[in-house]
Amino acid sequence: GCPVIIGDGLKGTDDIEVPVQGGEYIEKAKIGRAVMDADIFISLTHFKGHETTGFGGTIKNIGMGCGSKAGKKDQHSVGKPTIDQEACRGCKSCLRECANDGLIYLEHCVGCGRCIGACNFDAISFMDSAATKVLNCKMAEYTKAVVDGRPNFHISLIVDVSPNCDCHPENDAPILPNIGMFASFDPLALDQACADVCLSATPLPHSQLADRMEEENFCDHHDHFENTTPNSEYKTCLAHAEKIGLGTREYELIYMK
């Protein structure tokens, strides 16, 4: 019975600049105005893999999800794609995935990385090797802008852990078994706990993760998320979130039945 409100308005332009205390990459985050109008902030996240940031958890859900259209571009704006012509098969899956004609006109590219997830032949990479790390840091700072100064609580569901972001229409079968519901007042501790329990889980057979682990030239990163998508990286996000005071990576699991 709760109403659905578009945080940054129907056209994505209704936002407000929010200072980031301790921010190193973002001075003022562009957050949907309706999000900042709330007295209390509660997040509900589907925890899953992600083709760029390793996994999509609470920090990504808040930082990227609450950023306005301009805020999302602000976080994604570092990396630009480059195509290995020898590896490219000309299938054009990347073109169908891009919403901005960014692979035709690079100035339109917002660096979202969806083209990388769409390519089955590892033909696309970022020109800037630090792009993912900078994106991770910006997401942490956007999250801090959202939760600072008001009560906040966070819930994360580790079910149907898909290899890619939920926005991918071609998403594959879950890579890990369903684990359950996690909750915390600390978004960083929550993400760390969810990641740790996923890393200790057994990969599901015939999933993207299991298939990659059976490849002849498989390089084991000893990390389910990096093994699923070797170009992804999430540790920078957690480290930077702790550095800027978003929360702590220490936690205690309390089981409820």
Side-chain angles (χ1 to χ4, degrees), residues 10 38 49 56-57 76 96 117 148 169 180 186 189 211 243 250:
L10 292 176
H76 276 309
R96 291 191 292 271
D148 261 359
D186 185 332
D211 289 346
K243 180 181 179 182
E250 300 294 328

Side-chain angles (χ1 to χ4, degrees), residues 184-253:
S184 177
F185 289 101
D186 185 332
L188 173 55
L190 181 57
D191 266 0
Q192 184 68 67
C194 289
D196 288 345
V197 74
C198 282
L199 296 183
S200 65
T202 301
L204 290 176
H206 310 300
S207 64
Q208 180 176 316
L209 171 57
D211 289 346
R212 286 196 185 278
M213 294 177 70
E214 293 175 0
E215 292 177 355
E216 182 178 354
N217 296 321
F218 171 68
C219 176
D220 191 356
H221 297 273
H222 304 288
D223 186 298
H224 290 333
F225 300 112
E226 292 184 21
N227 282 342
T228 300
T229 311
N231 290 327
S232 68
E233 193 274 326
Y234 65 87
K235 297 179 178 68
T236 301
C237 179
L238 301 181
H240 190 67
E242 186 172 50
K243 180 181 179 182
I244 63 175
L246 177 59
T248 176
R249 300 175 71 174
E250 300 294 328
Y251 61 86
E252 177 187 359
L253 289 180

Side-chain angles (χ1 to χ4, degrees), residues 124-156:
I124 302 177
S125 60
F126 274 359
M127 295 179 188
D128 183 350
S129 60
T132 300
K133 294 182 179 181
V134 173
L135 168 62
N136 281 335
C137 293
K138 288 183 175 182
M139 286 194 311
E141 295 188 4
Y142 260 70
T143 299
K144 193 168 190 293
V146 171
V147 302
D148 261 359
R150 57 178 166 174
N152 57 94
F153 183 69
H154 314 282
I155 305 164
S156 193

Side-chain angles (χ1 to χ4, degrees), residues 40-225:
I40 298 172
F41 185 87
I42 301 175
S43 71
L44 176 63
T45 299
H46 172 220
F47 194 90
K48 65 280 181 183
H50 193 277
E51 61 283 357
T52 303
T53 60
F55 65 76
T58 298
I59 292 176
K60 187 175 189 305
N61 189 30
I62 298 173
M64 192 61 67
C66 294
S68 64
K69 186 175 182 180
K72 289 176 173 61
K73 289 184 177 181
D74 187 21
Q75 294 173 75
H76 276 309
S77 62
V78 175
K80 301 293 183 182
T82 182
I83 300 175
D84 182 343
Q85 298 295 338
E86 293 184 1
C88 177
R89 305 295 179 85
C91 67
K92 298 184 179 180
S93 293
C94 55
L95 294 178
R96 291 191 292 271
E97 188 67 23
C98 182
N100 305 288
D101 288 333
L103 290 167
I104 300 175
Y105 306 104
L106 281 181
E107 64 268 22
H108 293 179
C109 174
V110 298
C112 69
R114 292 181 63 168
C115 56
I116 292 179
C119 182
N120 293 319
F121 308 105
D122 295 325
I124 302 177
S125 60
F126 274 359
M127 295 179 188
D128 183 350
S129 60
T132 300
K133 294 182 179 181
V134 173
L135 168 62
N136 281 335
C137 293
K138 288 183 175 182
M139 286 194 311
E141 295 188 4
Y142 260 70
T143 299
K144 193 168 190 293
V146 171
V147 302
D148 261 359
R150 57 178 166 174
N152 57 94
F153 183 69
H154 314 282
I155 305 164
S156 193
L157 307 177
I158 308 180
V159 296
D160 295 326
V161 185
S162 56
N164 298 321
C165 182
D166 290 327
C167 66
H168 273 247
E170 81 287 355
N171 223 336
D172 207 343
I175 59 175
L176 300 172
N178 292 343
I179 297 174
M181 177 187 295
F182 289 63
S184 177
F185 289 101
D186 185 332
L188 173 55
L190 181 57
D191 266 0
Q192 184 68 67
C194 289
D196 288 345
V197 74
C198 282
L199 296 183
S200 65
T202 301
L204 290 176
H206 310 300
S207 64
Q208 180 176 316
L209 171 57
D211 289 346
R212 286 196 185 278
M213 294 177 70
E214 293 175 0
E215 292 177 355
E216 182 178 354
N217 296 321
F218 171 68
C219 176
D220 191 356
H221 297 273
H222 304 288
D223 186 298
H224 290 333
F225 300 112

Side-chain angles (χ1 to χ4, degrees), residues 6 8-14 69:
I6 308 301
D8 58 353
L10 292 176
K11 295 184 178 180
T13 56
D14 186 17
K69 186 175 182 180

